[in-house]
Amino acid sequence: MNKKEFVYQKSNLRFAVPVMLIVSCLAILTVGAREPLKGQSPDNKPLVKKPVLVEKKEQSGSPLSIGNMVIAESEDGQMPEILFTVTNKTDKVIIAYAVKHEGAFGQSALTGVISNISPDSERALLPGRSPQMEINGIEYSGMPETMILSVDFVEFADGTRWGPDTMKTGERVDGTRAGARALREALIPILKAGGVDAVVRSLDAIEPQADQSSFRSSEWLDSFSTGVKWMRERVRRKGQDYSKVEKELQPSPDLR
């Protein structure tokens, strides 16, 4: 079976594997007639797309539920935009989570993940909250026959985790936090010795390197640099306020 894999991420950092599944809550989209695509309708007849079946996987014990699925036709007629909500069903605070999407094309499939990753609990998912997520911008060779959504990873504020994490979101979370922590630790002595002005002057010059004394996955390493950039921008936004910069650089349980 042919298989390709990529990751499409969204996160608060501003910063697709065939399986047998039990599914429920089906949402069906039938795309109507469109103008013919180049080279596909020589007789100039309207091009009619097949319906896309979007399903959510039944997952016992999942801390998140997927619902309110809305499907809209894309401008290029290839891959629809899929909107849905995730609801925190628990009484615990969730600070990172990921929803996997699997698009099937006959005997082939593409899988990806939409994730919400933050090195801290500033934008945590509180109990009962239902933020919206979306899948768009994916370049498929044609319209998929089915799209399956499932919760792949959840991390709670207490550090415990749930889910198969087939897309290695946990590695990305860990790498992001490590990068943020590394820059913070490099800036603390500069703040103490030269004040906020010295920190601001050093922001772009300091580029912490990941500790590779032990094996690090490519996901972890890629996310390390993302964490460095995230912390750099947070500090930069504090401007010349010493107390705010100092507070930003204080040790945090979120950067465990």
Side-chain angles (χ1 to χ4, degrees):
M1 181 176 296
N2 297 324
K3 178 177 67 177
K4 299 180 181 177
E5 180 173 304
F6 64 90
V7 174
Y8 173 78
Q9 287 192 306
K10 293 186 67 179
S11 74
N12 281 332
L13 297 180
R14 342 217 212 277
F15 25 34
V17 235
V19 288
M20 296 295 291
L21 298 173
I22 301 175
V23 297
S24 63
C25 293
L26 307 185
I28 301 177
L29 167 70
T30 301
V31 180
R34 288 175 54 89
E35 291 297 319
L37 297 182
K38 185 178 180 180
Q40 292 190 4
S41 184
D43 55 1
N44 293 323
K45 291 182 179 180
L47 194 65
V48 179
K49 297 295 185 182
K50 295 180 179 180
V52 178
L53 181 66
V54 178
E55 309 168 340
K56 65 177 182 180
K57 182 179 179 181
E58 188 69 33
Q59 296 177 282
S60 176
S62 173
L64 296 175
S65 62
I66 300 171
N68 301 318
M69 294 181 290
V70 177
I71 312 168
E73 184 181 3
S74 65
E75 292 183 359
D76 61 10
Q78 296 297 319
M79 174 62 200
E81 180 182 75
I82 301 172
L83 305 174
F84 58 95
T85 59
V86 290
T87 301
N88 183 354
K89 303 189 298 180
T90 74
D91 59 359
K92 302 169 67 175
V93 175
I94 294 174
I95 60 174
Y97 52 95
V99 175
K100 182 167 71 171
H101 53 87
E102 302 169 89
F105 305 80
Q107 296 300 308
S108 300
L110 286 168
T111 68
V113 65
I114 306 299
S115 59
N116 186 307
I117 302 172
S118 179
D120 60 29
S121 57
E122 202 171 77
R123 299 184 182 182
L125 179 55
L126 302 178
R129 295 295 298 273
S130 301
Q132 187 178 71
M133 305 185 79
E134 64 183 66
I135 303 171
N136 60 19
I138 303 174
E139 296 183 0
Y140 285 158
S141 59
M143 190 74 77
E145 298 165 6
T146 62
M147 182 69 72
I148 301 171
L149 307 180
S150 62
V151 179
D152 195 52
F153 174 86
V154 173
E155 181 181 273
F156 299 98
D158 61 7
T160 58
R161 295 175 171 182
W162 181 95
D165 197 14
T166 60
M167 305 303 288
K168 299 185 178 180
T169 302
E171 287 287 290
R172 295 185 174 87
V173 171
D174 294 341
T176 298
R177 293 199 181 116
R181 183 171 58 248
L183 182 61
R184 185 201 70 199
E185 293 174 348
L187 292 176
I188 289 176
I190 296 175
L191 176 67
K192 293 180 178 179
V196 176
D197 287 342
V199 169
V200 174
R201 289 195 302 269
S202 302
L203 274 179
D204 294 321
I206 296 179
E207 193 67 45
Q209 298 301 307
D211 177 11
Q212 299 190 47
S213 58
S214 59
F215 172 77
R216 300 296 187 187
S217 67
S218 60
E219 291 81 9
W220 192 99
L221 292 171
D222 288 344
S223 298
F224 182 92
S225 61
T226 301
V228 171
K229 295 175 183 177
W230 175 85
M231 179 59 76
R232 181 180 291 132
E233 292 309 308
R234 283 183 65 96
V235 173
R236 198 190 308 277
R237 287 198 298 268
K238 304 305 177 183
Q240 300 294 321
D241 191 315
Y242 185 96
S243 62
K244 289 183 178 180
V245 172
E246 184 179 41
K247 182 178 180 180
E248 190 65 56
L249 296 180
Q250 291 303 307
S252 168
D254 294 314
L255 299 181
R256 49 184 169 267

